[in-house]
Amino acid sequence: MSKKRPSTAPPSTEDRVRLSWRGRSWTYPIRLGTEGEVAVDISTLRRDTGLITLDPGFVNTGACTSDITFIDGERGILRHRGYAIEDLAEHCVFLEVAYLLILGKLPNRTEWQHFSDLMNRHSMIHEDMRDFFLNYPEHAHPMAVLSAMVVSLSSFYPEIGQDDPNEPLDITATRLLSKLRTIAAFSYKKSIGEPFVYPSHRMSYCENFLNMMFSSPVNDYWPDPVVVRALNLFLILHADHEQNCSTSVVRIVGSAGSSLYASIAAGICALWGPLHGGANQAVIEMLERILREDRGRVDKMIERAKKGDPKSRLMGFGHRIYKTYDPRARIAKDACRKLLARLGMHNDPVLEIAMELEEKALNDPYFQERHLYPNVDFYTGIAYRAMGIPTNMFTVMFAIGRLPGWIAHWMENRRDPAQKIGRPRQLYIGEPARPFVPMDQRP
Ligand code: SDX
């Protein structure tokens, strides 16, 4: 038995947690994270004690160890592979952060050029996939199209193993990173009845996306560098967020041996929910409703949100992990104001309402007592709206940003020797055993 250590000593792997139940007791080892987080390893709990734990929403339960992203929700810290989100947002373009998340390091000039060349080479989708778009109704939600198209990629581009040990970039991942952007732009063009615009090797990742979205045979469009810079920043803010709902879905689907395409398609569907990635669309709809129905007065919305009705929540507020200001929201708010000013939208009423709503909520005891602050979705939609991106594409933008994070976690899960197929337990509270009753004897 390890010697008793004073509770004032910093946690050590020598420490153990004791569980006592009905006259017996067991001890369990603790695991230490890089930043001092402490976990109790209960992987033998049921075998030792017959007990399971119950933790709806996995609020207290870690599913894995990971070296991709670190979040300190109390101090508002977010780092990817050790780099602070503030530094990445200020100094990188989105694809650099995608490379960092997937390969664990920022690319040098040679690696960057190779990655960019591969992204260009795989930016088009098979011509036969274009026809899929033709059969969707114009009002089809782009998240439905995106998920279906991603899983269809496996029919045109079967996953190929890594046969070249000198090729660090997973070809399937690179292909998916490049094609998701094309599929997203095509789904937008389909929804407005305009011809598809193809990617160009002359443009960067974000320039290409904006060009495929807004160029057409009748306009002489070139992406505004201010918008390109802002889009890179907003995609970086969404690139990864450790074990959030959609990333957990990607990991658990991948744990069954499902393909990367199938796992990402599942993650897209999870992200679509209004409590998760769908919140950025819900924020704009909430702000526009305040403008339309409450004549811009935010008090009614705040009072509705305080009633605790899940359907009247302040969208873009609150977070499972952050109990202080989401660092991404702070960056997004500043970038949003600068973007609207550079685009001459100084007095955008929706931005004004958002900032007043934030100020009032942050000074209201209901939100203060529950540690409810703006999250990444609160300002993002206002910026996308200023870029000309339609509301129903906001969650698609979240998916484009989150894709490198999903890929990184899917790969990490596959490579983790401790991982097995995800299969949580449950506490059954249904009917006890009962005899079968033939239909004619049922009341
Ligand atoms: C994302 O996990 C991630 O990392 C996600 C994400 C990522 O990058 O992947 O950060 C992206 O999903 C951001 C969150 C986007 N969703 C929204 O903005 C929707 C509105 N927010 C909430 O629904 C809520 O805050 C959640 C879903 C984000 C978090 O919910 P929790 O942690 O399960 O908290 P809870 O539902 O248990 O609420 C605790 C209390 C409750 O009140 P009481 O019952 O204690 O009285 O806070 C209240 C809730 O009613 N509350 C809110 C509120 N959010 C929580 N009340 C009003 N408005 C809100 N927005």
Side-chain angles (χ1 to χ4, degrees):
M1 177 63 74
S2 60
K3 55 184 181 301
K4 202 160 177 52
R5 288 164 32 81
S7 59
T8 51
S12 145
T13 48
E14 288 176 52
D15 290 334
R16 293 183 74 83
V17 170
R18 178 176 300 281
L19 174 69
S20 301
W21 187 59
R22 304 185 79 168
R24 295 185 62 193
S25 75
W26 302 264
T27 65
Y28 290 92
I30 67 163
R31 301 282 300 277
L32 292 178
T34 311
E35 300 289 343
E37 289 178 297
V38 181
V40 183
D41 182 340
I42 58 164
S43 41
T44 61
L45 176 71
R46 189 169 185 277
R47 188 192 64 194
D48 300 344
T49 69
L51 299 172
I52 64 166
T53 59
L54 193 57
D55 185 20
F58 311 115
V59 176
N60 307 286
T61 299
C64 61
T65 58
S66 178
D67 59 12
I68 299 170
T69 287
F70 170 70
I71 298 174
D72 181 323
E74 281 67 33
R75 294 189 293 161
I77 293 172
L78 170 59
R79 299 191 198 117
H80 296 315
R81 304 285 190 184
Y83 295 99
I85 188 65
E86 293 82 2
D87 289 341
L88 297 172
E90 183 181 350
H91 301 296
C92 291
V93 292
F94 170 60
L95 277 191
E96 265 182 288
V97 176
Y99 189 101
L100 169 69
L101 287 168
I102 294 171
L103 288 151
K105 65 187 282 285
L106 286 166
N108 60 35
R109 185 65 59 187
T110 307
E111 292 160 338
W112 174 246
Q113 190 53 55
H114 177 56
F115 186 46
S116 303
D117 293 346
L118 275 180
M119 291 298 292
N120 271 334
R121 200 183 313 162
H122 296 293
S123 55
M124 289 177 69
I125 60 173
H126 194 291
E127 277 295 289
D128 290 353
M129 285 190 76
R130 278 173 33 115
D131 298 344
F132 291 6
F133 288 94
L134 307 180
N135 299 311
Y136 276 101
E138 286 195 354
H139 60 269
H141 196 290
M143 286 297 273
V145 176
L146 199 69
S147 179
M149 284 294 175
V150 164
V151 78
S152 303
L153 285 172
S154 56
S155 310
F156 291 86
Y157 307 96
E159 286 193 59
I160 46 179
Q162 200 68 8
D163 47 11
D164 173 0
N166 300 316
E167 173 52 80
L169 283 163
D170 179 291
I171 200 69
T172 301
T174 311
R175 181 180 276 147
L176 189 49
L177 271 172
S178 194
K179 293 180 189 318
L180 189 80
R181 167 199 48 179
T182 305
I183 291 169
F186 278 21
S187 64
Y188 170 63
K189 284 299 197 186
K190 159 66 188 175
S191 72
I192 59 173
E194 282 191 10
F196 297 141
V197 174
Y198 282 73
S200 160
H201 288 191
R202 292 181 297 118
M203 293 182 170
S204 69
Y205 185 90
C206 286
E207 284 173 344
N208 247 319
F209 175 73
L210 292 167
N211 189 57
M212 289 191 279
M213 286 280 289
F214 302 121
S215 175
S216 83
V218 294
N219 72 5
D220 189 19
Y221 175 85
W222 186 266
D224 179 337
V226 170
V227 176
V228 172
R229 178 70 204 114
L231 180 56
N232 271 291
L233 181 143
F234 278 95
L235 292 178
I236 288 170
L237 294 183
H238 289 82
D240 188 52
H241 216 238
E242 52 133 284
Q243 305 306 316
N244 61 85
C245 177
S246 54
T247 300
S248 297
V249 163
V250 169
R251 289 182 78 116
I252 205 164
V253 171
S255 75
S258 302
S259 74
L260 178 61
Y261 297 125
S263 306
I264 298 300
I268 291 169
C269 292
L271 186 71
W272 193 357
L275 293 186
H276 189 14
N280 55 19
Q281 174 173 342
V283 168
I284 285 294
E285 289 163 353
M286 172 185 74
L287 297 172
E288 289 176 342
R289 191 165 54 248
I290 292 171
L291 194 58
R292 190 177 56 247
E293 297 172 8
D294 301 338
R295 291 199 297 278
R297 287 204 315 273
V298 301
D299 302 313
K300 278 188 180 178
M301 180 63 228
I302 286 185
E303 289 315 308
R304 281 196 294 264
K306 287 161 64 174
K307 288 190 165 54
D309 174 2
K311 293 186 183 61
S312 306
R313 288 191 164 186
L314 203 50
M315 302 313 279
F317 252 71
H319 200 279
R320 173 65 58 77
I321 305 289
Y322 290 120
K323 298 312 168 191
T324 183
Y325 215 105
D326 180 336
R328 302 167 298 172
R330 200 183 301 283
I331 298 167
K333 178 179 180 180
D334 182 53
C336 190
R337 276 196 301 204
K338 285 176 182 161
L339 173 68
L340 270 66
R342 296 286 296 273
L343 296 177
M345 303 165 79
H346 299 281
N347 304 315
D348 178 67
V350 169
L351 176 60
E352 299 294 324
I353 289 173
M355 290 168 70
E356 185 188 354
L357 198 56
E358 174 191 344
E359 199 265 335
K360 291 244 170 108
L362 292 184
N363 288 292
D364 185 299
Y366 172 91
F367 295 89
Q368 291 170 337
E369 288 155 12
R370 293 166 178 78
H371 305 290
L372 301 175
Y373 291 83
N375 59 49
V376 68
D377 292 307
F378 193 64
Y379 287 100
T380 303
I382 299 171
Y384 286 150
R385 180 172 166 274
M387 294 178 199
I389 295 169
T391 306
N392 71 349
M393 283 283 288
F394 289 179
T395 312
V396 169
M397 300 308 296
F398 196 141
I400 294 173
R402 185 51 52 87
L403 180 58
W406 284 336
I407 292 171
H409 281 276
W410 186 88
M411 290 177 166
E412 181 178 74
N413 209 61
R414 275 288 167 93
R415 293 175 186 144
D416 183 348
Q419 282 302 325
K420 51 189 74 170
I421 184 168
R423 201 265 184 236
R425 289 275 178 169
Q426 65 162 25
L427 188 68
Y428 176 69
I429 55 170
E431 290 287 340
R434 50 182 169 168
F436 179 77
V437 178
M439 186 175 291
D440 297 336
Q441 296 170 32
R442 295 168 199 161

